[in-house]
Amino acid sequence: IVSEDPDLEREIVGGKFLVYAQDGRQGFPSGFGEDGLLFTEDDPIVTLPQGYTVVDMDSDPFTFDRSRNPVIDLIEPEGAALVDYSDLSYTEAFDALVDQLKNEYAFTEYKGIDWEALRDEFRPRFVEADENEDELEYLRALRDFSWQIPDGHISGPFISEDFRAAALGGIGMAIRELDDGRVLVNFLLDDGPAAAAGMELRAEILEMNGRPINDTISNTISYFAPYSTPHSQRLDQLLFATRFPIGTEVEVTFQNPGDSPETVTLEAVGEVDSFNFWLEDETRDGFELPLEYEFLADEGVGYVEIFSFLDNDLLTIQLWERMIQEMIENEVPAIIIDMRKNGGGRGFLADQMAAYFFDEPLVTGNTAYYEEERGEFYMNPDYEDTFFLPSEDRRYDGEVVVLVGPDCASACEFFSYDMTLQDRATIVGIYPTAGLGGSVDDVAMPAGETFRFTQGRAVDAEGNIHIEGIGVVPDIVVPFTEATLFSEGDPVLEAALDFLVGGGADVTDGGELMLGDSVTAVLNPGERVRYTVTLLSGEVAGLILESSDDQPFILSVYDEDGTLLAATDPDTLTGFEGLEVTSDITFILQVSTEVDAGGGAYTLTIEDQG
C-alpha cells in the first residue's frame, strides 16, 4: 500500500510484497524502523532463504510466508480506484460529477470555467430525464455538457443516432478555408446536388441560407467536440457546415472561377462521400507498423512517420532504434519526423523516443494533480518529467525537422515539444498541434457511460502551461493558399525538404521581370537566384530556362508568401509553357541546382506567348 498523505507521498505503508532471493544471502527489512519508513538506514534486516517469500507488512514485525500456496489480497488504494456514480440517479450523478470537476479538473482557472453556471444550465435536463426515466435525454444532456468544456481530452457519450442524422445528409461538396479568408470547394461529388447546379471545383462559397459563409461556419455544431484549440474546432466546423438532414433545402451563393456570383437552391441527399473525403486517409489501411521509415535518395535525407505511441512499446522501440542506427551508420545528415497522423498514447514512450536526439538528460516538465488533503493542485518537485539517454552510439546528432498538424494530439505533442528544447528540431506545419496538454481520469456514470476529464496539469520545466490550448506551434508556417489546397503533392513535406536541402544556400535577389524580359546570369555553387515576376490580366507567358553548358538547373515557382507552387525536374530546362493569367499576379521565380551543388551560366526568359 502506498501512502496518499502529502507528507508521505509514495511511501510504502503496508500490504504484501512477493520477494525473490537468488542464493539465500539477500536481506530484507523486518519492520519500518523508528522513522516509520521502509528502505531507510534504521530498518531491521533479516536474511531471506533462497526462492520466493511473501512479506506481510501489515504486522509488526513483518511476517514471512514460505507456504506452497500463499494468498495475496490485491488492494487498490482509494485514490487509484475508479470513481463510480453509476448507481446514482441521473441528477445525483451529474451533481457529483460537477462537484468533482470543480476540484479535480486541471484547467478550471486557465480556461475560465464557471462550474456552477454550467450546473445551473444543465441540471434541469437531468432532472427531467429522471422524472421521465428517459435515458436518451440523460445521455444527450451529459454529451452537451461535455461539449461546453473546451478541452479535447474531455469525452462524454457518443450518441450514434444523433451523429448519423448530422452526418449522412449532404449537398455533394466539401469546403476549406484559406489564409485569406476565402472558402473554396475542394471536393465535388459527381452528379451530386452542387455539381448538378453548376458548381465547380475551386468555387468560392459566399453565403449559405442568406448568411455569410464565415458566420455559418462559426455557428456550426461539430459532433467531434469538444476542442482545446480554435483551429481544431474550425476545421471540423467546416466539415459539418455542408451536412444537413436529408431532404433539407439549402440556399447557396457561390462564384465559380472567372464567373459572377450566383445563388442556387440545393436539396440535401443521402451521401457520405463528401464527408468521408475529409476523414479517409488513402495512405493508411490499418496494417501499418507503429512507425515506418525510408531514405529519400533524391534529397539525401531520412523520413520517418510515427503513427502512435499506443502500440507495442517493445516493437516501437526496436523499430526506432533500428531507424536511428541505420541513419547513423549511413551518415544521413538530416531526418524528417512526420507526426501529422499520430493521435497520442503513452507520454513516457514519447519522451524516451525524443531522448535519442540529445546528449544530456533533460527535465521536460512536470504535472500537477489535485490533492484532497492540501485542497489544491500540487506538483511534486521530486517527480519531474525527465527523459534518460540511450547509449552514446545510438544518439543521432544530425539535423531534424518535425512535421505537425491538428491530428497530432496528447503524447504526440509532448514528443514534438521535447524536440523544440535546445532548438533541437525545426517544426514545420500549416497548423499547430491539437493542444491537449494533460493526463486523464475516468468516472463511471449511469447507463454504463464513462466520463473522461483532464486531471493532470502538464507544464514545462519553468512551471508554465505549454501545450493545453496552445499546441506546438510551427517554426515554419506553410501558408494555406489555393495552391496549397489543390497541390497534388505534400506542401508541408516539400517545405521541410526545401528548408533542409536549401537551408544553407545563399539567396540572391535577381530583380524584377515583366512579360518579354530576358536575363542572362551566372549561378555560383551554394547560391539561389530569385526574381520577382509580375504578369497582367490576359497575358500568356512562357517561363523558359536555358543553360549554355547543359548544367541541370531547377526552375521553381513560389507565390508571394513563399509557398512552392511548381518546380521543374533537374533534367528539364524548358520551364513552363502557356501560363495564362485572368488577373494581375506577382510571383517568385527561383533558379537553383540540385542540392545547390552546381553552377554555371543560364538564361531566363519571360516569353510572350499570347
Side-chain angles (χ1 to χ4, degrees), residues 206-275:
L206 304 173
E207 294 183 355
M208 195 170 287
N209 288 329
R211 173 186 285 183
I213 186 60
N214 287 326
D215 291 348
T216 299
I217 297 166
S218 298
N219 288 280
T220 294
I221 295 174
S222 167
Y223 281 73
F224 296 139
Y227 303 91
S228 290
T229 50
H231 64 271
S232 294
Q233 179 176 354
R234 186 74 172 184
L235 288 169
D236 282 350
Q237 286 176 313
L238 283 161
L239 171 60
F240 281 94
T242 58
R243 315 311 299 174
F244 301 92
I246 297 172
T248 302
E249 290 190 345
V250 184
E251 186 180 84
V252 180
T253 301
F254 68 95
Q255 183 174 359
N256 283 330
D259 290 345
S260 300
E262 57 182 302
T263 300
V264 297
T265 299
L266 310 177
E267 182 175 329
V269 299
E271 60 91 3
V272 295
D273 289 347
S274 61
F275 189 77

Side-chain angles (χ1 to χ4, degrees), residues 389-402:
L389 299 179
S391 59
E392 190 171 352
D393 62 335
R394 295 179 179 177
R395 302 177 203 165
Y396 179 82
D397 62 2
E399 194 160 8
V400 182
V401 170
V402 177

Side-chain angles (χ1 to χ4, degrees), residues 35-90:
D35 62 5
L37 303 177
L38 196 62
F39 304 128
T40 56
E41 293 182 356
D42 68 344
D43 294 351
I45 303 296
V46 297
T47 301
L48 297 180
Q50 190 276 334
Y52 288 99
T53 301
V54 175
V55 183
D56 185 348
M57 292 177 288
D58 291 328
S59 61
D60 186 16
F62 299 164
T63 58
F64 298 83
D65 185 357
R66 297 275 299 170
S67 62
R68 182 176 294 274
N69 297 303
V71 175
I72 300 178
D73 295 326
L74 297 181
I75 301 173
E76 186 175 43
E78 181 179 349
L82 177 68
V83 175
D84 191 345
Y85 303 139
S86 60
D87 291 335
L88 302 178
S89 71
Y90 299 148

Side-chain angles (χ1 to χ4, degrees), residues 393-456:
D393 62 335
R394 295 179 179 177
R395 302 177 203 165
Y396 179 82
D397 62 2
E399 194 160 8
V400 182
V401 170
V402 177
L403 310 186
V404 300
D407 291 332
C408 174
S410 197
C412 174
E413 301 182 81
F414 286 98
F415 175 92
S416 303
Y417 168 76
D418 291 347
M419 297 302 296
T420 69
L421 299 176
Q422 299 182 344
D423 295 323
R424 184 61 187 90
T426 299
I427 311 298
V428 178
I430 297 173
Y431 307 101
T433 58
L436 277 60
S439 53
V440 299
D441 196 12
D442 294 326
V443 177
M445 297 291 286
E449 285 296 326
T450 299
F451 189 95
R452 172 166 290 182
F453 71 97
T454 307
Q455 69 161 174

Side-chain angles (χ1 to χ4, degrees), residues 276-486:
N276 291 337
F277 168 75
W278 284 70
L279 302 179
E280 292 179 349
D281 184 345
E282 296 178 358
T283 65
R284 302 190 68 192
D285 56 15
F287 290 92
E288 293 82 15
L289 293 168
L291 63 90
E292 297 177 354
Y293 63 92
E294 61 181 308
F295 176 67
L296 304 180
D298 290 343
E299 294 83 7
V301 302
Y303 174 77
V304 55
E305 288 183 280
I306 308 177
F307 298 114
S308 172
F309 293 114
L310 199 58
D311 212 318
N312 184 295
D313 287 5
L314 178 59
L315 175 60
T316 300
I317 287 295
Q318 287 175 331
L319 290 169
W320 187 245
E321 288 201 339
R322 180 178 177 182
M323 183 275 295
I324 294 288
Q325 183 177 357
E326 290 186 8
M327 298 297 173
I328 293 174
E329 290 178 352
N330 289 282
E331 299 182 347
V332 176
I335 298 175
I336 296 174
I337 304 174
D338 195 337
M339 306 295 292
R340 291 175 292 172
K341 302 172 187 175
N342 188 316
R346 286 177 284 274
F348 177 78
L349 178 62
D351 286 341
Q352 283 306 119
M353 288 173 67
Y356 287 74
F357 299 98
F358 293 86
D359 288 324
E360 58 180 335
L362 291 178
V363 173
T364 60
N366 207 328
T367 304
Y369 298 92
Y370 179 77
E371 290 196 353
E372 187 173 356
E373 293 80 3
R374 286 188 168 92
E376 62 182 2
F377 274 79
Y378 175 70
M379 185 164 47
N380 192 329
D382 296 329
Y383 293 96
E384 294 177 315
D385 298 325
T386 305
F387 60 60
F388 304 95
L389 299 179
S391 59
E392 190 171 352
D393 62 335
R394 295 179 179 177
R395 302 177 203 165
Y396 179 82
D397 62 2
E399 194 160 8
V400 182
V401 170
V402 177
L403 310 186
V404 300
D407 291 332
C408 174
S410 197
C412 174
E413 301 182 81
F414 286 98
F415 175 92
S416 303
Y417 168 76
D418 291 347
M419 297 302 296
T420 69
L421 299 176
Q422 299 182 344
D423 295 323
R424 184 61 187 90
T426 299
I427 311 298
V428 178
I430 297 173
Y431 307 101
T433 58
L436 277 60
S439 53
V440 299
D441 196 12
D442 294 326
V443 177
M445 297 291 286
E449 285 296 326
T450 299
F451 189 95
R452 172 166 290 182
F453 71 97
T454 307
Q455 69 161 174
R457 181 189 301 158
V459 297
D460 63 18
E462 285 72 45
N464 303 307
I465 295 172
H466 60 320
I467 291 177
E468 179 61 41
I470 304 168
V472 178
V473 180
D475 299 307
I476 298 176
V477 178
V478 179
F480 195 65
T481 64
E482 187 171 348
T484 308
L485 176 60
F486 292 100

